[in-house]
Coordinates of all heavy atoms in Angstrom, one line a residue:
M19 N 86.1 102.4 69.5 CA 87.5 102.7 70.0 C 87.5 102.7 71.6 O 88.5 102.4 72.1 CB 87.8 104.2 69.6 CG 87.6 104.4 68.1 SD 89.2 104.9 67.3 CE 88.4 105.3 65.7
L20 N 86.3 103.0 72.2 CA 86.3 102.9 73.7 C 86.4 101.4 74.0 O 86.9 101.1 75.1 CB 85.0 103.6 74.2 CG 85.0 105.1 74.2 CD1 83.7 105.7 74.6 CD2 86.1 105.6 75.1
D21 N 85.7 100.6 73.2 CA 85.9 99.1 73.5 C 87.3 98.7 73.6 O 87.7 97.9 74.4 CB 85.2 98.3 72.4 CG 83.7 98.5 72.5 OD1 83.2 99.0 73.6 OD2 83.0 98.0 71.7
L22 N 88.1 99.3 72.6 CA 89.5 99.0 72.6 C 90.2 99.3 73.9 O 91.0 98.5 74.5 CB 90.2 99.6 71.4 CG 91.6 99.3 71.1 CD1 91.7 97.9 70.6 CD2 92.1 100.2 70.0
L23 N 89.9 100.5 74.4 CA 90.5 101.0 75.7 C 90.1 100.0 76.8 O 90.9 99.7 77.6 CB 90.1 102.4 76.0 CG 90.5 103.5 75.0 CD1 90.0 104.8 75.4 CD2 92.0 103.4 74.9
A24 N 88.8 99.7 76.8 CA 88.3 98.8 77.9 C 89.1 97.4 77.8 O 89.4 96.9 78.9 CB 86.8 98.6 77.7
L25 N 89.2 97.0 76.6 CA 89.9 95.7 76.4 C 91.4 95.7 76.9 O 91.8 94.9 77.5 CB 89.9 95.3 74.9 CG 90.4 93.9 74.5 CD1 89.4 92.9 74.9 CD2 90.5 93.9 73.0
A26 N 92.0 96.8 76.6 CA 93.4 97.0 76.9 C 93.5 97.0 78.5 O 94.4 96.3 79.0 CB 93.9 98.3 76.4
H27 N 92.6 97.6 79.1 CA 92.6 97.6 80.6 C 92.4 96.3 81.2 O 93.0 95.8 82.0 CB 91.5 98.6 81.1 CG 92.0 100.0 81.3 ND1 92.8 100.3 82.4 CD2 92.0 101.1 80.6 CE1 93.2 101.6 82.3 NE2 92.6 102.1 81.3
S28 N 91.3 95.6 80.7 CA 91.0 94.3 81.3 C 92.1 93.3 81.0 O 92.4 92.5 81.8 CB 89.7 93.8 80.7 OG 89.8 93.5 79.3
S29 N 92.8 93.4 79.8 CA 93.8 92.4 79.7 C 95.1 92.6 80.5 O 95.6 91.7 81.0 CB 94.2 92.3 78.1 OG 94.8 93.6 77.7
S30 N 95.4 93.9 80.8 CA 96.5 94.1 81.7 C 96.2 93.8 83.1 O 97.0 93.3 83.9 CB 97.0 95.5 81.6 OG 96.1 96.4 82.0
D31 N 94.9 93.9 83.5 CA 94.5 93.5 84.9 C 94.7 92.0 85.0 O 95.1 91.5 86.0 CB 93.0 93.8 85.0 CG 92.8 95.3 85.3 OD1 93.8 96.0 85.5 OD2 91.7 95.8 85.4
R32 N 94.3 91.3 83.9 CA 94.4 89.8 84.0 C 95.8 89.3 84.2 O 96.0 88.4 84.9 CB 93.8 89.2 82.7 CG 93.2 87.9 82.9 CD 92.7 87.2 81.7 NE 91.8 88.1 81.0 CZ 91.9 88.4 79.7 NH1 92.9 87.8 79.0 NH2 91.2 89.2 79.1
V33 N 96.7 89.9 83.6 CA 98.1 89.6 83.7 C 98.5 89.7 85.2 O 99.1 88.8 85.7 CB 99.1 90.5 82.9 CG1 100.6 90.2 83.2 CG2 98.8 90.2 81.4
E34 N 98.2 90.8 85.8 CA 98.6 91.0 87.2 C 97.9 89.9 88.2 O 98.5 89.4 89.0 CB 98.1 92.4 87.7 CG 99.1 93.5 87.2 CD 98.6 94.9 87.4 OE1 97.7 95.0 88.3 OE2 99.1 95.7 86.7
L35 N 96.6 89.6 87.9 CA 95.9 88.7 88.7 C 96.6 87.3 88.5 O 96.8 86.6 89.5 CB 94.5 88.5 88.2 CG 93.5 89.6 88.7 CD1 92.2 89.4 88.1 CD2 93.4 89.6 90.2
D36 N 96.9 86.9 87.3 CA 97.6 85.6 87.1 C 98.9 85.6 87.9 O 99.2 84.6 88.5 CB 97.9 85.4 85.6 CG 96.7 85.0 84.8 OD1 95.7 84.6 85.5 OD2 96.7 85.1 83.6
Q37 N 99.7 86.7 87.9 CA 100.9 86.7 88.5 C 100.8 86.5 90.0 O 101.5 85.8 90.7 CB 101.7 87.9 88.2 CG 102.4 87.9 86.9 CD 103.1 89.1 86.5 OE1 102.9 90.2 87.0 NE2 104.1 89.0 85.6
A38 N 99.7 87.1 90.5 CA 99.5 87.1 92.0 C 99.0 85.6 92.4 O 99.4 85.2 93.4 CB 98.4 88.1 92.4
R39 N 98.2 85.1 91.5 CA 97.6 83.8 91.8 C 98.7 82.7 91.8 O 98.6 81.7 92.5 CB 96.5 83.5 90.9 CG 95.4 82.5 91.5 CD 94.4 82.1 90.5 NE 94.0 83.2 89.6 CZ 93.9 83.0 88.3 NH1 94.2 81.9 87.7 NH2 93.5 84.0 87.5
M40 N 99.7 82.8 90.9 CA 100.7 81.9 90.7 C 101.5 81.6 92.0 O 101.7 80.5 92.4 CB 101.8 82.3 89.7 CG 101.2 82.3 88.3 SD 101.5 80.7 87.5 CE 101.4 81.3 85.7
G41 N 101.8 82.7 92.8 CA 102.4 82.5 94.1 C 103.8 82.1 93.9 O 104.8 82.8 93.7
R42 N 104.0 80.7 93.9 CA 105.4 80.1 93.8 C 105.7 79.8 92.4 O 105.3 78.8 91.8 CB 105.4 78.9 94.7 CG 105.3 79.2 96.1 CD 105.4 77.9 97.0 NE 106.6 77.1 96.5 CZ 107.2 76.2 97.3 NH1 106.7 76.0 98.5 NH2 108.2 75.6 96.9
V43 N 106.4 80.6 91.7 CA 107.0 80.3 90.4 C 108.5 80.5 90.5 O 109.0 81.2 91.3 CB 106.4 81.2 89.3 CG1 104.9 80.9 89.0 CG2 106.6 82.7 89.6
S44 N 109.2 79.8 89.6 CA 110.6 79.9 89.6 C 111.0 81.4 89.1 O 110.2 82.0 88.5 CB 111.2 78.9 88.7 OG 111.1 79.4 87.3
R45 N 112.2 81.8 89.5 CA 112.6 83.1 89.2 C 112.6 83.3 87.7 O 112.2 84.4 87.2 CB 114.0 83.3 89.7 CG 114.5 84.7 89.6 CD 115.8 84.9 90.3 NE 116.6 86.1 89.8 CZ 116.3 87.3 90.1 NH1 115.3 87.6 91.0 NH2 116.9 88.3 89.6
G46 N 113.0 82.3 86.9 CA 113.0 82.4 85.5 C 111.7 82.6 84.9 O 111.5 83.4 84.1
D47 N 110.7 81.8 85.4 CA 109.4 82.0 84.9 C 108.8 83.4 85.2 O 108.1 84.0 84.4 CB 108.4 80.9 85.6 CG 108.6 79.5 85.0 OD1 109.3 79.4 84.0 OD2 108.1 78.6 85.6
A48 N 109.2 83.9 86.4 CA 108.7 85.2 86.8 C 109.3 86.2 85.9 O 108.5 87.1 85.4 CB 109.1 85.5 88.3
L49 N 110.5 86.1 85.6 CA 111.2 87.1 84.7 C 110.5 87.0 83.3 O 110.3 88.0 82.6 CB 112.6 86.8 84.6 CG 113.5 87.3 85.8 CD1 114.9 86.9 85.6 CD2 113.3 88.8 85.9
L50 N 110.3 85.8 82.8 CA 109.7 85.6 81.5 C 108.3 86.2 81.4 O 108.0 87.0 80.5 CB 109.6 84.1 81.2 CG 109.1 83.7 79.8 CD1 110.1 84.2 78.8 CD2 108.9 82.2 79.7
Q51 N 107.6 85.9 82.5 CA 106.2 86.5 82.6 C 106.2 88.0 82.6 O 105.4 88.7 81.9 CB 105.5 86.1 83.8 CG 104.8 84.8 83.7 CD 103.5 84.7 84.5 OE1 103.5 85.5 85.5 NE2 102.6 84.0 84.0
Q52 N 107.2 88.6 83.3 CA 107.3 90.0 83.4 C 107.6 90.7 82.1 O 107.0 91.6 81.7 CB 108.4 90.3 84.4 CG 108.2 91.7 85.2 CD 109.3 91.8 86.2 OE1 110.5 91.4 86.0 NE2 109.0 92.3 87.4
S53 N 108.6 90.0 81.4 CA 109.0 90.6 80.1 C 107.8 90.5 79.0 O 107.6 91.3 78.2 CB 110.3 90.0 79.6 OG 110.1 88.6 79.4
M54 N 107.1 89.4 79.1 CA 105.9 89.2 78.3 C 104.8 90.3 78.6 O 104.2 90.8 77.6 CB 105.4 87.8 78.4 CG 106.1 86.8 77.6 SD 105.8 85.1 78.0 CE 104.0 85.0 77.7
A55 N 104.6 90.5 79.9 CA 103.7 91.5 80.2 C 104.1 92.9 79.8 O 103.3 93.7 79.3 CB 103.5 91.5 81.8
K56 N 105.4 93.1 79.8 CA 105.9 94.5 79.4 C 105.7 94.5 77.9 O 105.3 95.6 77.4 CB 107.4 94.6 79.7 CG 107.6 95.2 81.0 CD 109.1 95.6 81.2 CE 109.4 95.8 82.7 NZ 110.8 95.6 83.0
A57 N 106.0 93.5 77.1 CA 105.9 93.6 75.7 C 104.4 93.8 75.3 O 104.1 94.6 74.4 CB 106.4 92.2 75.0
G58 N 103.5 93.1 76.0 CA 102.1 93.3 75.8 C 101.7 94.7 76.0 O 100.9 95.4 75.3
H59 N 102.3 95.2 77.1 CA 101.9 96.6 77.5 C 102.4 97.7 76.5 O 101.6 98.5 76.1 CB 102.6 97.0 78.9 CG 102.1 98.3 79.4 ND1 100.8 98.5 79.7 CD2 102.9 99.4 79.7 CE1 100.8 99.8 80.2 NE2 102.0 100.3 80.1
S60 N 103.6 97.4 75.9 CA 104.1 98.5 74.9 C 103.3 98.3 73.6 O 103.0 99.3 73.0 CB 105.6 98.3 74.7 OG 105.8 97.2 73.9
R61 N 102.9 97.1 73.3 CA 102.1 97.0 72.1 C 100.7 97.7 72.3 O 100.2 98.4 71.5 CB 101.7 95.5 71.8 CG 102.7 94.9 70.8 CD 102.1 93.7 70.1 NE 101.7 92.7 71.1 CZ 102.5 91.9 71.7 NH1 103.8 91.8 71.4 NH2 102.0 90.9 72.5
T62 N 100.2 97.6 73.5 CA 98.9 98.3 73.8 C 99.1 99.8 73.7 O 98.3 100.5 73.2 CB 98.4 98.0 75.2 OG1 98.3 96.5 75.2 CG2 97.1 98.6 75.5
E63 N 100.3 100.3 74.2 CA 100.5 101.7 74.2 C 100.7 102.2 72.7 O 100.1 103.3 72.4 CB 101.8 102.1 75.0 CG 101.5 102.1 76.5 CD 102.6 102.7 77.2 OE1 103.7 102.8 76.7 OE2 102.4 103.1 78.4
D64 N 101.4 101.4 71.9 CA 101.5 101.7 70.5 C 100.1 101.9 69.9 O 99.9 102.9 69.2 CB 102.3 100.7 69.7 CG 103.8 100.7 70.1 OD1 104.2 101.6 70.7 OD2 104.4 99.8 69.6
R65 N 99.2 101.0 70.2 CA 97.9 101.0 69.6 C 97.1 102.2 70.2 O 96.4 102.8 69.4 CB 97.2 99.7 70.0 CG 96.0 99.5 69.1 CD 95.7 98.1 68.8 NE 94.7 98.1 67.8 CZ 93.7 97.1 67.6 NH1 93.8 96.1 68.4 NH2 92.8 97.2 66.7
L66 N 97.3 102.6 71.4 CA 96.6 103.7 71.9 C 97.1 105.0 71.3 O 96.3 105.9 70.9 CB 96.8 103.9 73.5 CG 96.1 102.8 74.3 CD1 96.3 103.0 75.7 CD2 94.6 102.9 74.1
I67 N 98.4 105.1 71.0 CA 98.9 106.3 70.3 C 98.3 106.3 68.9 O 97.9 107.4 68.5 CB 100.4 106.1 70.2 CG1 101.0 106.4 71.6 CG2 101.0 107.1 69.2 CD1 102.5 106.0 71.7
Q68 N 98.2 105.2 68.2 CA 97.6 105.1 66.9 C 96.2 105.6 67.0 O 95.7 106.3 66.0 CB 97.7 103.8 66.2 CG 99.1 103.5 65.8 CD 99.2 102.3 64.8 OE1 98.4 101.4 64.9 NE2 100.1 102.4 63.9
V69 N 95.5 105.1 68.0 CA 94.0 105.5 68.1 C 93.9 107.0 68.3 O 93.1 107.7 67.7 CB 93.4 104.8 69.4 CG1 92.0 105.3 69.7 CG2 93.3 103.3 69.0
R70 N 94.8 107.5 69.2 CA 94.7 109.1 69.4 C 95.1 109.8 68.2 O 94.4 110.8 67.8 CB 95.7 109.4 70.5 CG 95.4 109.0 71.8 CD 96.0 109.8 72.9 NE 95.9 109.2 74.2 CZ 96.9 108.4 74.7 NH1 98.0 108.3 74.2 NH2 96.7 107.8 75.9
Q71 N 96.0 109.3 67.4 CA 96.3 110.0 66.1 C 95.2 109.9 65.1 O 94.9 110.9 64.4 CB 97.6 109.4 65.5 CG 98.8 109.8 66.4 CD 100.1 109.1 65.9 OE1 100.1 108.0 65.2 NE2 101.2 109.6 66.3
A72 N 94.5 108.7 65.1 CA 93.4 108.6 64.3 C 92.2 109.5 64.6 O 91.6 110.1 63.7 CB 92.9 107.1 64.3
L73 N 92.1 109.8 65.9 CA 91.0 110.7 66.3 C 91.3 112.1 65.9 O 90.5 112.9 65.5 CB 90.9 110.7 67.9 CG 90.3 109.3 68.4 CD1 90.3 109.4 69.9 CD2 88.9 109.2 68.0
K74 N 92.7 112.5 65.9 CA 93.1 113.8 65.4 C 92.8 113.9 63.9 O 92.4 115.0 63.5 CB 94.5 114.0 65.7 CG 94.8 114.5 67.1 CD 96.3 114.9 67.3 CE 96.6 115.1 68.8 NZ 98.0 115.0 69.0
R75 N 93.1 112.8 63.2 CA 92.9 112.9 61.8 C 91.3 113.0 61.5 O 91.0 113.7 60.5 CB 93.4 111.6 61.1 CG 95.0 111.6 61.1 CD 95.5 110.7 60.0 NE 95.1 109.3 60.2 CZ 95.6 108.5 61.1 NH1 96.6 108.8 61.9 NH2 95.3 107.2 61.2
I76 N 90.5 112.5 62.3 CA 89.1 112.6 62.1 C 88.7 114.1 62.3 O 88.0 114.7 61.5 CB 88.3 111.7 63.1 CG1 88.5 110.2 62.7 CG2 86.8 112.1 63.1 CD1 87.9 109.3 63.7
E77 N 89.3 114.7 63.3 CA 89.0 116.1 63.6 C 89.5 117.0 62.4 O 88.8 118.0 62.1 CB 89.8 116.6 64.9 CG 89.2 116.2 66.1 CD 90.0 116.5 67.3 OE1 91.0 117.3 67.2 OE2 89.8 116.0 68.4
R78 N 90.5 116.6 61.8 CA 91.1 117.5 60.7 C 90.5 117.0 59.4 O 90.9 117.5 58.3 CB 92.6 117.3 60.6 CG 93.3 117.9 61.8 CD 94.8 118.2 61.5 NE 95.5 117.0 61.2 CZ 96.3 116.4 62.0 NH1 96.6 116.9 63.2 NH2 96.9 115.3 61.8
D79 N 89.6 116.0 59.4 CA 88.9 115.5 58.2 C 90.0 114.9 57.3 O 89.8 114.9 56.0 CB 88.2 116.7 57.5 CG 86.9 116.2 56.9 OD1 86.5 115.1 57.2 OD2 86.3 116.9 56.1
E80 N 91.0 114.3 57.8 CA 92.0 113.6 57.1 C 91.9 112.0 57.3 O 92.6 111.3 56.7 CB 93.4 114.0 57.5 CG 93.7 115.4 57.1 CD 94.9 115.9 57.7 OE1 95.6 115.1 58.5 OE2 95.3 117.1 57.5
Y81 N 90.9 111.6 58.0 CA 90.8 110.2 58.4 C 90.5 109.3 57.2 O 89.7 109.7 56.4 CB 89.8 110.0 59.5 CG 89.6 108.5 59.9 CD1 90.6 107.9 60.7 CD2 88.5 107.8 59.5 CE1 90.5 106.6 61.1 CE2 88.4 106.5 59.9 CZ 89.3 105.9 60.7 OH 89.2 104.6 61.0
G82 N 91.3 108.3 57.1 CA 91.0 107.3 56.0 C 91.9 107.4 54.9 O 91.9 106.6 54.0
D83 N 92.8 108.5 54.9 CA 93.8 108.6 53.9 C 95.1 108.0 54.5 O 95.5 108.3 55.6 CB 94.0 110.1 53.5 CG 92.8 110.7 52.8 OD1 92.0 109.8 52.3 OD2 92.7 111.9 52.7
C84 N 95.8 107.3 53.6 CA 97.1 106.8 54.0 C 98.1 107.9 54.3 O 98.2 108.8 53.4 CB 97.7 105.8 52.9 SG 99.3 105.2 53.1
L85 N 98.8 107.8 55.3 CA 99.8 108.9 55.7 C 101.1 108.8 54.7 O 101.8 109.8 54.7 CB 100.3 108.7 57.1 CG 99.3 109.1 58.2 CD1 100.0 109.1 59.5 CD2 98.6 110.4 57.9
H86 N 101.2 107.8 54.0 CA 102.4 107.5 53.3 C 102.2 107.9 51.8 O 102.9 108.7 51.2 CB 102.9 106.1 53.4 CG 104.3 105.9 52.8 ND1 104.5 105.1 51.6 CD2 105.5 106.3 53.2 CE1 105.8 105.2 51.4 NE2 106.4 105.8 52.3
C87 N 101.1 107.3 51.2 CA 100.9 107.6 49.8 C 99.7 108.5 49.5 O 99.4 108.8 48.4 CB 100.8 106.3 49.0 SG 99.2 105.4 49.4
F88 N 99.0 108.8 50.6 CA 97.8 109.7 50.6 C 96.6 109.2 49.8 O 95.7 110.0 49.6 CB 98.2 111.1 50.0 CG 99.4 111.7 50.8 CD1 100.6 111.8 50.3 CD2 99.2 112.1 52.2 CE1 101.7 112.3 50.9 CE2 100.3 112.6 52.9 CZ 101.6 112.7 52.3
K89 N 96.7 107.9 49.5 CA 95.4 107.3 48.9 C 94.4 106.9 49.9 O 94.9 106.7 51.1 CB 95.8 106.1 48.0 CG 96.5 106.5 46.8 CD 96.9 105.1 46.0 CE 98.0 105.4 44.9 NZ 98.6 104.2 44.6
A90 N 93.2 106.8 49.6 CA 92.2 106.3 50.6 C 92.5 104.9 51.0 O 92.8 104.1 50.1 CB 90.8 106.4 49.9
I91 N 92.4 104.7 52.3 CA 92.6 103.3 52.8 C 91.2 102.6 52.6 O 90.2 103.2 52.8 CB 92.9 103.3 54.4 CG1 94.2 104.1 54.5 CG2 93.0 101.9 54.9 CD1 94.5 104.5 56.0
S92 N 91.3 101.3 52.3 CA 90.0 100.6 51.9 C 89.1 100.5 53.2 O 89.7 100.4 54.3 CB 90.3 99.2 51.4 OG 90.7 98.3 52.4
V93 N 87.8 100.5 52.9 CA 86.9 100.4 54.1 C 87.0 99.1 54.9 O 87.0 99.1 56.1 CB 85.5 100.5 53.5 CG1 84.4 100.3 54.6 CG2 85.2 101.9 52.9
E94 N 87.3 98.0 54.1 CA 87.5 96.7 54.7 C 88.7 96.8 55.7 O 88.6 96.3 56.9 CB 87.9 95.6 53.7 CG 86.7 95.2 52.8 CD 86.6 96.2 51.6 OE1 87.3 97.2 51.5 OE2 85.7 95.9 50.8
R95 N 89.8 97.5 55.3 CA 90.9 97.6 56.2 C 90.6 98.5 57.4 O 91.0 98.1 58.6 CB 92.1 98.1 55.4 CG 93.4 98.4 56.3 CD 94.6 98.6 55.4 NE 95.7 99.0 56.2 CZ 96.4 98.3 56.9 NH1 96.1 97.1 57.1 NH2 97.4 98.8 57.6
L96 N 89.9 99.5 57.2 CA 89.5 100.4 58.3 C 88.6 99.7 59.3 O 88.6 100.0 60.5 CB 88.8 101.7 57.8 CG 89.8 102.7 57.1 CD1 89.1 103.8 56.6 CD2 90.9 103.2 58.1
Q97 N 87.7 98.8 58.8 CA 86.9 98.1 59.7 C 87.6 97.1 60.6 O 87.3 96.9 61.7 CB 85.8 97.3 58.9 CG 84.6 98.2 58.5 CD 83.7 97.6 57.5 OE1 84.0 96.6 56.9 NE2 82.6 98.2 57.3
L98 N 88.7 96.5 59.9 CA 89.5 95.6 60.7 C 90.4 96.3 61.7 O 90.7 95.8 62.8 CB 90.4 94.7 59.8 CG 89.7 93.7 59.0 CD1 90.6 93.1 58.0 CD2 89.1 92.6 59.9
A99 N 91.0 97.5 61.3 CA 92.0 98.1 62.1 C 91.6 99.7 62.0 O 92.3 100.4 61.3 CB 93.4 97.9 61.6
P100 N 90.7 100.2 62.7 CA 90.2 101.5 62.6 C 91.3 102.6 62.8 O 91.2 103.7 62.3 CB 89.1 101.7 63.6 CG 88.7 100.3 64.0 CD 89.9 99.5 63.7
E101 N 92.3 102.2 63.6 CA 93.3 103.2 63.9 C 94.5 103.2 63.0 O 95.5 104.0 63.1 CB 93.8 102.9 65.4 CG 94.8 101.7 65.5 CD 94.0 100.3 65.5 OE1 92.8 100.4 65.1 OE2 94.7 99.4 65.7
T102 N 94.5 102.4 62.0 CA 95.6 102.2 61.1 C 95.9 103.5 60.3 O 95.0 104.2 59.8 CB 95.5 101.1 60.0 OG1 96.7 100.9 59.4 CG2 94.4 101.3 59.1
P103 N 97.2 104.0 60.3 CA 97.5 105.2 59.5 C 97.9 104.9 58.1 O 98.2 105.9 57.3 CB 98.7 105.8 60.4 CG 99.3 104.5 60.9 CD 98.3 103.5 61.1
L104 N 98.0 103.6 57.7 CA 98.6 103.3 56.4 C 97.7 102.4 55.6 O 96.9 101.6 56.2 CB 99.9 102.6 56.6 CG 101.1 103.4 57.2 CD1 102.2 102.5 57.6 CD2 101.5 104.5 56.4
C105 N 97.7 102.5 54.3 CA 97.0 101.6 53.5 C 97.7 100.2 53.5 O 98.9 100.1 53.9 CB 96.8 102.1 52.0 SG 98.3 102.1 51.1
I106 N 97.0 99.2 53.0 CA 97.6 97.9 53.0 C 99.0 97.7 52.3 O 99.9 97.0 52.7 CB 96.6 96.8 52.6 CG1 97.0 95.4 53.1 CG2 96.3 96.8 51.2 CD1 96.0 94.7 53.8
E107 N 99.1 98.4 51.2 CA 100.3 98.4 50.4 C 101.4 98.9 51.2 O 102.6 98.4 51.2 CB 100.1 99.0 49.0 CG 99.2 98.3 48.0 CD 97.8 98.8 48.2 OE1 97.5 99.6 49.1 OE2 97.0 98.3 47.4
C108 N 101.3 100.2 51.8 CA 102.3 100.8 52.5 C 102.7 100.0 53.8 O 103.9 99.9 54.1 CB 102.0 102.2 52.8 SG 101.8 103.3 51.3
Q109 N 101.7 99.5 54.4 CA 102.0 98.7 55.6 C 102.8 97.5 55.2 O 103.8 97.2 55.9 CB 100.6 98.2 56.2 CG 100.8 97.4 57.4 CD 101.1 98.2 58.6 OE1 100.4 99.2 59.0 NE2 102.1 97.9 59.4
A110 N 102.5 96.8 54.1 CA 103.3 95.7 53.6 C 104.7 96.1 53.3 O 105.7 95.4 53.6 CB 102.6 95.0 52.5
Q111 N 104.9 97.3 52.7 CA 106.2 97.8 52.4 C 107.1 97.9 53.6 O 108.2 97.5 53.8 CB 106.2 99.1 51.7 CG 106.3 99.0 50.2 CD 106.2 100.4 49.6 OE1 106.4 101.3 50.3 NE2 105.8 100.4 48.4
I112 N 106.4 98.6 54.7 CA 107.1 98.8 56.0 C 107.5 97.5 56.7 O 108.6 97.4 57.2 CB 106.3 99.7 56.9 CG1 106.3 101.2 56.3 CG2 106.8 99.7 58.3 CD1 105.4 102.1 56.9
E113 N 106.6 96.6 56.6 CA 106.9 95.4 57.4 C 107.8 94.4 56.6 O 108.2 93.5 57.1 CB 105.5 94.7 57.7 CG 104.8 95.3 58.8 CD 103.4 94.8 59.1 OE1 103.1 93.7 58.5 OE2 102.7 95.2 60.0
G114 N 108.0 94.8 55.3 CA 108.9 94.1 54.5 C 108.3 92.8 54.0 O 109.0 91.7 54.1
Ligands
LIG219 ZN1 99.6 104.0 51.2

């Protein structure tokens, strides 16, 4: 989970460096880049919130149970996305 935080930091640093290095970009490109950077940032924040919530569930010994149907989330899924609050079936339902 700390790796994830480090990754989030390094990737947002890289966006700023790229923008600084570009120097002369058209206004449209700059705006596009800015909105993409913002979108990336909010996804990162969402993920950080999920990580924090996962840590709380570990403290309460509830970690690994789906918040929606209360069944155990598969180990394979937890290995891929340790912060996930939902089992694969409920996630698929929400995403439609
Ligand atoms: Zn579920």
Side-chain angles (χ1 to χ4, degrees):
M19 308 237 191
L20 285 175
D21 285 352
L22 187 67
L23 294 178
L25 189 71
H27 268 283
S28 67
S29 63
S30 65
D31 284 352
R32 206 183 311 130
V33 169
E34 282 170 20
L35 281 177
D36 283 347
Q37 280 178 339
R39 207 183 324 130
M40 292 267 204
R42 293 181 49 156
V43 289
S44 77
R45 190 173 158 76
D47 283 350
L49 285 174
L50 185 65
Q51 271 218 333
Q52 211 174 36
S53 60
M54 279 165 59
K56 268 187 200 161
H59 186 61
S60 76
R61 266 202 305 280
T62 304
E63 283 195 341
D64 285 352
R65 196 147 188 213
L66 287 179
I67 289 167
Q68 287 198 326
V69 169
R70 288 201 196 101
Q71 288 171 343
L73 291 173
K74 275 188 194 158
R75 291 200 298 280
I76 291 172
E77 282 173 15
R78 293 198 298 255
D79 218 13
E80 292 168 359
Y81 178 72
D83 291 344
C84 173
L85 289 189
H86 190 252
C87 69
F88 305 110
K89 288 180 195 160
I91 301 170
S92 74
V93 174
E94 290 85 356
R95 179 164 166 75
L96 287 175
Q97 278 169 350
L98 285 174
E101 75 282 12
T102 188
L104 297 171
C105 71
I106 194 126
E107 287 88 356
C108 293
Q109 181 76 52
Q111 262 180 22
I112 284 170
E113 287 177 359

